[in-house]
Amino acid sequence: MPLKSPDELEQLRTKILEERKAQGEKKGIVLCTGTGCRGAGASEVFDAFKKALGKKSAIEFKSTCCHGFCERGPITIVEPLGIFYQGVTPADVPQIIAETVTKGQVIEKLLYRDPATGQTIPTEKAIPFYTKQNRLVFGNNRHLDPTRIEDYMAMGGYKALVKALFHMSPEEVIEEIKRSGLRGRGGGGFPAGRKWESCRKAHGDIKYVICNCDEGDPGAYMDRSLMEGNPHSVLEGMLIGAYAIGSSEGYVYVRNEYPLAVENVGIAIEQATKMGLLGKDILGSGFDFSLVINKGGGAFVAGESSALMASIEGYVAEPRAKHIHMTESGLWERPTNLNNVETWANVPVIIEKGADWYASIGTQGSKGTKIFSLVGKINNTGLIEVPMGMTLREIVYDIGGGIPGGKRFKAVQTGGPSGGCIPESLLDLPVDFDELTKAGSMMGSGGMIVMDESTCMVDVAKYFMHFLKDESCGKCTSCRDGTLRMYEVLDAITKGKGKEGDIEFLEEIGWMTAEASLCALGGSAANPVLSTIRYFRDEYEAHISAKRCPAGVCTELITFTIDPKACIACGKCRKGCPTEAITGEKKVPHKIVQAKCIKCGTCREVCPSDAVKVA
Amino acid sequence: MSHKKELIKFQIDGLTVEAEKGQMLLPAALEYGFEIPHLCYHEAVSPYGACRLCLVEVTKRGRTMMTTSCNYPVDAGLDVATNTENVQRARQMILELLLARAPHSEKIRAMARDAGVEETRFRVIEDADDCILCGLCERVCREVVGANALTFVNRGDRREVAPPFGDPIACIACGACVYVCPTDCIKMKEEGDERTIVRWKRTLKMQPCQSCGKPFAPVFQLNWIIERAQLPKDFYALCPVCRKTKKG
Amino acid sequence: MTGAQLENILKKHDYQKSSLLAILQDVQALDNYLPRKTLEAMSQRLQVPLTQIYYLATFYRAFSLTPRGDHLVTVCTGTACHVKGAATILNTLERELAVQPGETTSDKKYTLETVNCLGSCALAPLVVLDGHYHGRMVGTKVLSLLKGDKKDASKKS
């Protein structure tokens, strides 16, 4: 039965909360089955719990999406004590139920051990990865089964919608968002309130709102985790935005590679529709709003707003000239307001807690928190949410736990293929929209790929140009051929065929690509090249002049040798070598025949005594 | 739909010009005799902005940006500069890129020379066929002819123009693409009673004129027009020359 | 794909031209590729030029115009996987299967593909074999993964 008024919504919420209270502090198990944990085997753990628990409901078993600490997945939390278990396998399940759930005993071997102190930490709250975070938007994931709207209700869900619909005019909502200082989390950082305002003021009866979940930056997956883990928060944000703008139709455009996000947002839309939170005359307010899901086709450029709209219309995702703003003429040439997942998810928080409170978090120009995906050469891979303005050093070392294997930090790549690499000298940079741009990178959607001394920065630049020449729509000569040609020059450099003047040539092509291209993909395509030249010029020069790859990555510039002193002549490398390039016999140190070596690295990988050297 | 033409004034290289509001900048500038190089623009089809040669610098409300002029709608008070240092620099690099794709195109070589570019520093693309992916052939085939025989295929650096599945089944061999191609990379030849559009590998038999006996247009094309325009079946019995003399 | 199957898909999308992308996805899901005949029939039924459909089919990564192999091996080449050695994994697979990304082995057993990030960066470098994620890959591991699968495949056939 659809809810017909705010009162009915509150009655339902009270009922849900009372039912839960009546059951008392229930013993429960929370298992993360987000994509990260699934990859680490959470589905099997899920099955094992289901089987072990059977149908008896004395123990509440909840499967949620991403909690953020993907490095340690699959993650299981035992309630009400909040015992945090990591790296759980199906074999651990009976013990968890028998000891922790039933008797409250902690299983030492499943606890997180702080690498700094060597101490085990029994609860989530005390783990350094979490303590420095401020999880306004992402924190609820841990408490929600995303397929149950009741869970969202119990957390106060759709309260902000009621506040907006019944206690605020659309103009007041826009004013609140403007005052909060919320900037778009999708990349550009455009002030959300101003965008809404111009869309509201645009002429036209039919207006659209769009949620961009075409998260294409490699190494960024916060939108996915929000959409999978807390889809109702995104819907609530869109509802509030649509009310403010004067729109009654919306689209959720989800990346093709995110099937679970499609599934969960689909369930959420269905449930919200059933409850009367989507559809006609929502909660008796007279406001109508409906949502359609579109699945992308696998194209990075579709994340560009005009390309995304072309895609929804059934065309190829080719960006269009935006001399007229999308807020005036967007989807089907009607006023359209597009924001990304994280931006929408911030809206209910702002409406509920107020703009002043929200604006008290963050920096002068960037308010609130930002979710980052901290990945690459970092100990604690995962999703983190921190106030804008936290320094890179705090993020990498305090939350990320530093670089694995005692290696030295080299750079953080932010902003995806549109961004750049930030060097060690800027580790104390407060991370916000403006500071990242000043450093020659950008916020993008929040990917942070950490690189260490064994990452070659020329190779990284080449990687991104390879990515972009593939992902450019191919329309503008400047972008299509600019990225292709930068790739060619970089490829030559990494193969020892670099020439004097190549760096300047790259800068020249990069400038043209940025200046002469239509959309933001081309406009920012040169950033990975220009920023690595800016901060790691010496690495370029080593490749070009000395024909040397200091990081030991570019295969044509390195040689693999076996240190006869370290070699224990076990024969593993000889057997593993795909080209029979290794000679040697028992008790005789092995040797690599350079002419046959394809530098695949197998020998180094299998060597038990670390005898294979790369130079 | 009729609406009053609203004429607006703006500046190009210091000269005050007048144009219809919303008209694209490139044709307006060309009308006044400004020389802005362009390859993917043609007045018969909608602007696309692919070649990027028609770049200009536009200052609007105090903000200057580089943009293609073929798809930039004019507005009152714009200040347009067609040949700034930045424009020249970008254009030179674009011409180098185009030269590497179309090394045999006399037109591009001449344009490059005019811009002070003698040769390209880029590797000339293997088997370069001179196509610069401007898309004029695709647009003329779709928008003007209506045959929809050609499309862009793939994306990024793998992009090309071709008939779907490489099969030119919808091509009527009218030659419009041959005519608009700025680099001359689409060739047409007629041998005996056959016409071939070489690039699309489309060969069609031509219809002989009932009067003079000379083959004058592909049978497939004539039938296609007759069907679409609902013309009498014998509408194209005569070639254009004979039809004229007969009428006259 | 039978005519009736296509008709069902078109009906599900209300014969909307704007749903072309979704329709193509349904066809791809059913047939594992986009057969030419189906695209031609779609063009007829929806009154959309085949050119527009073909451009969509070749523009987006999700589609394939040739049948894929029995097994799909996808190497994640996102940035986190790249800095952790995805290129080596990809090279190993290219060598072992003797195909380039996007290609299918001559015996039609394997199709090798790459994907730009699956958002499972904690598992980098990541290989997906028929939808199953295999994380923290190294060259030797990916070979045994493939060999294991080859054995299974021979058992099944």
Side-chain angles (χ1 to χ4, degrees):
Chain A
M1 273 293 281
L3 304 166
K4 293 206 180 62
S5 68
D7 285 346
E8 286 189 19
L9 176 72
E10 278 318 307
Q11 282 159 17
L12 176 70
R13 192 192 318 280
T14 312
K15 202 178 130 207
I16 294 169
L17 288 173
E18 274 173 1
E19 273 172 17
R20 297 196 171 186
K21 212 173 158 192
Q23 289 167 346
E25 274 220 321
K26 209 171 169 184
K27 287 176 175 170
I29 298 161
V30 179
L31 173 69
C32 175
T33 51
T35 304
C37 283
R38 275 191 194 197
S43 302
E44 288 74 26
V45 179
F46 178 88
D47 292 342
F49 270 120
K50 274 277 171 199
K51 206 175 147 196
L53 293 169
K55 287 207 170 105
K56 59 178 176 179
S57 61
I59 298 163
E60 194 191 3
F61 177 52
K62 185 181 279 182
S63 127
T64 71
C65 276
C66 190
H67 299 192
F69 205 1
C70 308
E71 182 74 37
R72 300 291 169 160
I75 287 169
T76 302
I77 296 165
V78 181
E79 302 284 28
L81 300 170
I83 306 296
F84 178 91
Y85 288 145
Q86 43 128 41
V88 175
T89 65
D92 300 322
V93 166
Q95 198 186 357
I96 293 175
I97 295 174
E99 292 178 19
T100 315
V101 180
T102 317
K103 297 184 206 151
Q105 289 169 357
V106 172
I107 306 163
E108 196 70 12
K109 65 164 186 178
L110 292 175
L111 291 179
Y112 173 77
R113 189 177 291 275
D114 188 346
T117 60
Q119 300 291 308
T120 53
I121 302 174
T123 61
E124 187 185 5
K125 283 185 202 113
I127 296 172
F129 176 78
Y130 290 107
T131 47
K132 275 219 157 183
Q133 296 192 41
N134 183 0
R135 296 159 52 105
L136 289 185
V137 178
F138 192 53
N140 285 348
N141 267 30
R142 177 214 172 295
H143 303 283
L144 295 170
D145 178 340
T147 63
R148 285 172 24 187
I149 193 170
E150 295 79 11
D151 282 13
Y152 187 63
M153 295 280 203
M155 308 274 322
Y158 292 104
K159 264 190 183 167
L161 176 67
V162 169
K163 186 171 174 186
L165 286 184
F166 295 94
H167 306 286
M168 293 169 90
S169 67
E171 288 80 6
E172 282 168 342
V173 173
I174 289 176
E175 197 47 41
E176 196 74 4
I177 298 298
K178 274 169 79 177
R179 277 201 310 123
S180 75
L182 176 68
R183 292 172 69 171
R185 265 49 173 160
F190 192 82
R194 264 174 56 201
K195 200 190 243 186
W196 292 17
E197 188 173 45
S198 60
C199 194
R200 172 159 189 89
K201 284 183 178 161
H203 294 286
D205 300 337
I206 298 179
K207 294 176 182 178
Y208 300 109
V209 294
I210 297 177
C211 172
N212 184 350
C213 187
D214 193 60
E215 186 176 47
D217 286 3
Y221 59 105
M222 59 289 296
D223 288 346
R224 159 187 216 154
S225 293
L226 272 175
M227 204 52 130
E228 288 177 355
N230 194 354
H232 284 288
S233 68
V234 181
L235 301 193
E236 190 176 1
M238 289 185 82
L239 275 157
I240 294 168
Y243 166 72
I245 288 156
S247 157
S248 58
E249 281 176 65
Y251 290 85
V252 181
Y253 189 95
V254 189
R255 190 172 173 231
N256 176 57
E257 290 84 351
Y258 290 178
L260 187 60
V262 174
E263 192 182 322
N264 285 0
V265 73
I267 294 170
I269 289 174
E270 201 179 300
Q271 291 173 338
T273 308
K274 256 188 205 154
M275 284 208 172
L277 295 163
L278 280 173
K280 296 264 175 222
D281 191 20
I282 292 165
L283 297 176
S285 64
F287 166 62
D288 306 334
F289 187 64
S290 61
L291 269 175
V292 173
I293 302 174
N294 279 74
K295 224 170 81 181
F300 174 71
V301 69
E304 197 274 347
S305 59
S306 67
L308 187 147
M309 292 177 206
S311 183
I312 293 180
E313 290 173 14
Y315 296 98
V316 155
E318 255 180 38
R320 299 165 180 175
K322 285 189 267 192
H323 302 305
I324 300 167
H325 290 298
M326 312 306 278
T327 48
E328 281 169 39
S329 175
L331 188 62
W332 289 299
E333 294 179 354
R334 295 197 162 112
T336 305
N337 183 91
L338 175 144
N339 285 116
N340 93 322
V341 174
E342 192 183 339
T343 315
W344 287 121
N346 267 280
V347 170
V349 181
I350 294 168
I351 294 300
E352 214 192 325
K353 300 197 175 175
D356 294 329
W357 172 84
Y358 188 84
S360 69
I361 306 163
T363 61
Q364 184 69 29
S366 307
K367 300 299 184 192
T369 58
K370 177 78 193 85
I371 309 177
F372 293 103
S373 62
L374 194 55
V375 302
K377 307 283 187 70
I378 186 94
N379 274 316
N380 299 337
T381 299
L383 291 180
I384 63 163
E385 183 176 352
V386 296
M388 293 275 192
M390 183 176 272
T391 66
L392 268 180
R393 189 184 300 280
E394 288 172 283
I395 291 174
V396 170
Y397 288 96
D398 299 350
I399 297 176
I403 317 298
K407 293 230 169 96
R408 186 175 170 160
F409 172 91
K410 188 187 268 182
V412 177
Q413 204 279 342
T414 73
S418 309
C421 293
I422 297 168
E424 195 181 5
S425 60
L426 294 178
L427 262 177
D428 290 310
L429 184 92
V431 177
D432 72 5
F433 285 104
D434 308 314
E435 292 293 331
L436 286 175
T437 306
K438 262 192 256 163
S441 184
M442 64 186 274
M443 179 73 82
S445 57
M448 280 194 174
I449 296 93
V450 181
M451 298 168 179
D452 69 10
E453 57 190 302
S454 63
T455 311
C456 169
M457 301 315 282
V458 185
D459 176 71
V460 166
K462 175 175 128 176
Y463 162 80
F464 280 114
M465 287 312 108
H466 186 273
F467 179 96
L468 286 166
K469 77 174 181 62
D470 269 0
E471 294 290 349
S472 159
C473 78
K475 170 173 146 175
C476 298
T477 304
S478 46
C479 171
R480 178 194 64 231
D481 288 356
T483 52
L484 168 69
R485 299 309 187 164
M486 283 190 278
Y487 170 77
E488 285 181 356
V489 175
L490 290 162
D491 188 49
I493 294 176
T494 58
K495 289 184 171 148
K497 293 176 190 150
K499 302 184 299 288
E500 191 87 358
D502 274 356
I503 296 179
E504 293 71 22
F505 192 32
L506 282 170
E507 286 173 328
E508 220 182 308
I509 311 171
W511 176 83
M512 180 279 308
T513 306
E515 290 291 321
S517 303
L518 170 72
C519 77
L521 188 150
S524 58
N527 282 351
V529 178
L530 299 180
S531 76
T532 47
I533 292 178
R534 176 169 163 188
Y535 296 118
F536 302 96
R537 200 183 182 98
D538 53 332
E539 275 193 55
Y540 277 83
E541 280 163 355
H543 283 75
I544 295 169
S545 316
K547 311 293 175 206
R548 204 170 59 80
C549 174
V553 171
C554 299
T555 49
E556 312 206 9
L557 301 182
I558 54 174
T559 34
F560 284 76
T561 48
I562 296 171
D563 178 359
K565 281 184 205 131
C567 178
I568 54 168
C570 65
K572 278 192 178 144
C573 59
R574 198 179 66 234
K575 285 187 207 109
C577 178
T579 57
E580 295 175 358
I582 299 177
T583 58
E585 48 199 272
K586 266 193 183 163
K587 292 182 188 163
V588 182
H590 287 34
K591 261 192 179 156
I592 298 175
V593 181
Q594 293 301 332
K596 283 188 177 176
C597 175
I598 56 165
K599 295 157 189 174
C600 66
T602 307
C603 49
R604 183 165 52 163
E605 198 180 292
V606 297
C607 179
S609 63
D610 207 13
V612 180
K613 304 292 174 202
V614 174
Chain B
M1 203 169 69
S2 73
H3 56 92
K4 260 206 323 221
K5 280 187 183 177
E6 189 192 338
L7 285 179
I8 48 99
K9 285 196 170 80
F10 64 100
Q11 302 260 314
I12 303 181
D13 292 341
L15 183 78
T16 303
V17 298
E18 235 181 20
E20 202 182 320
K21 186 182 160 89
Q23 190 196 352
M24 295 306 158
L25 176 53
L26 178 64
L30 293 176
E31 221 166 283
Y32 273 89
F34 288 99
E35 285 183 13
I36 300 176
H38 55 274
L39 284 168
C40 74
Y41 172 80
H42 193 287
E43 59 200 5
V45 294
S46 47
Y48 189 50
C51 77
R52 314 308 284 177
L53 274 178
C54 69
L55 288 172
V56 293
E57 279 193 302
V58 175
T59 307
K60 189 180 183 177
R61 290 186 215 110
R63 278 176 60 187
T64 303
M65 62 180 272
M66 189 135 48
T67 177
T68 44
S69 54
C70 67
N71 56 358
Y72 190 89
V74 300
D75 204 350
L78 294 183
D79 190 357
V80 180
T82 66
N83 213 11
T84 63
E85 204 178 305
N86 278 347
V87 166
Q88 288 178 24
R89 236 177 103 195
R91 208 176 269 158
Q92 285 172 340
M93 181 64 85
I94 291 165
L95 282 162
E96 280 195 63
L97 292 171
L98 293 175
L99 272 178
R101 278 194 180 268
H104 315 100
S105 162
E106 197 34 61
K107 184 167 184 172
I108 292 182
R109 290 232 290 271
M111 268 182 163
R113 272 196 302 275
D114 286 349
V117 175
E118 289 303 327
E119 58 187 277
T120 180
R121 285 170 286 177
F122 299 110
R123 173 189 63 91
V124 170
I125 286 176
E126 271 165 63
D127 310 320
D129 59 8
D130 292 345
C131 174
I132 56 164
L133 301 164
C134 72
L136 270 179
C137 53
E138 185 271 342
R139 270 175 290 155
V140 80
C141 184
R142 174 166 49 89
E143 295 181 10
V144 179
V145 182
N148 285 307
L150 298 174
T151 176
F152 281 111
V153 182
N154 297 323
R155 67 176 189 226
D157 64 329
R158 289 169 52 244
R159 186 173 168 101
E160 53 181 322
V161 182
F165 300 98
D167 189 350
I169 201 158
C171 172
I172 61 169
C174 66
C177 54
V178 180
Y179 173 76
V180 293
C181 176
T183 64
D184 233 358
C185 75
I186 312 171
K187 300 259 195 304
M188 180 162 87
K189 63 177 185 200
E190 288 183 0
E191 275 170 4
D193 64 348
E194 281 184 342
R195 177 188 284 179
T196 301
I197 309 290
V198 182
R199 191 177 179 91
W200 317 128
K201 301 189 181 69
R202 180 63 156 175
T203 300
L204 291 175
K205 273 249 178 323
M206 298 217 284
Q207 178 153 312
C209 172
Q210 273 185 11
S211 175
C212 69
K214 259 193 6 218
F216 67 95
V219 181
F220 184 85
Q221 179 193 130
L222 297 175
N223 289 341
W224 184 84
I225 299 172
I226 286 168
E227 196 184 312
R228 281 170 60 105
Q230 297 180 326
L231 301 171
K233 280 226 153 58
D234 59 350
F235 190 83
Y236 286 117
L238 301 177
C239 74
V241 181
C242 290
R243 199 180 320 164
K244 229 180 196 174
T245 47
K246 228 183 164 183
K247 266 189 190 161
Chain C
M1 167 155 318
T2 64
Q5 283 173 316
L6 175 63
E7 209 55 33
N8 273 339
I9 293 175
L10 296 178
K11 209 164 156 187
K12 179 179 145 200
H13 295 284
D14 223 8
Y15 298 90
Q16 288 291 315
K17 290 176 192 181
S18 60
S19 301
L20 262 183
L21 189 57
I23 292 168
L24 289 174
Q25 278 162 345
D26 286 356
V27 173
Q28 172 82 37
L30 203 69
D31 272 0
N32 216 9
Y33 82 111
L34 301 177
R36 175 171 176 174
K37 281 214 166 76
T38 308
L39 299 193
E40 284 168 348
M42 196 189 288
S43 159
Q44 290 271 320
R45 295 290 288 126
L46 297 176
Q47 289 293 299
V48 175
L50 184 61
T51 43
Q52 190 186 335
I53 298 175
Y54 190 73
Y55 188 18
L56 282 167
T58 58
F59 187 92
Y60 289 107
R61 276 265 189 125
F63 305 125
S64 166
L65 289 170
T66 48
R68 284 181 170 143
D70 301 340
H71 300 285
L72 181 60
V73 188
T74 309
V75 180
C76 179
T77 52
T79 321
C81 287
H82 178 77
V83 300
K84 287 192 167 180
T88 310
I89 309 292
L90 186 60
N91 288 341
T92 306
L93 282 165
E94 286 171 355
R95 211 170 47 238
E96 182 68 14
L97 299 172
V99 290
Q100 291 295 304
E103 293 176 354
T104 301
T105 54
S106 51
D107 63 2
K108 307 264 179 263
K109 281 247 155 76
Y110 294 94
T111 297
L112 180 63
E113 287 187 349
T114 61
V115 61
N116 294 323
C117 194
L118 286 165
S120 297
C121 307
L123 299 170
L126 180 72
V127 172
V128 185
L129 179 60
D130 294 331
H132 292 283
Y133 286 29
H134 301 274
R136 294 172 187 137
M137 273 291 146
V138 287
T140 43
K141 227 165 119 184
V142 81
L143 284 182
S144 53
L145 179 70
L146 215 55
K147 278 178 189 132
D149 184 70
K150 272 183 177 165
K151 266 184 221 148
D152 286 352
S154 61
K155 261 185 227 158
K156 271 178 214 159
S157 57

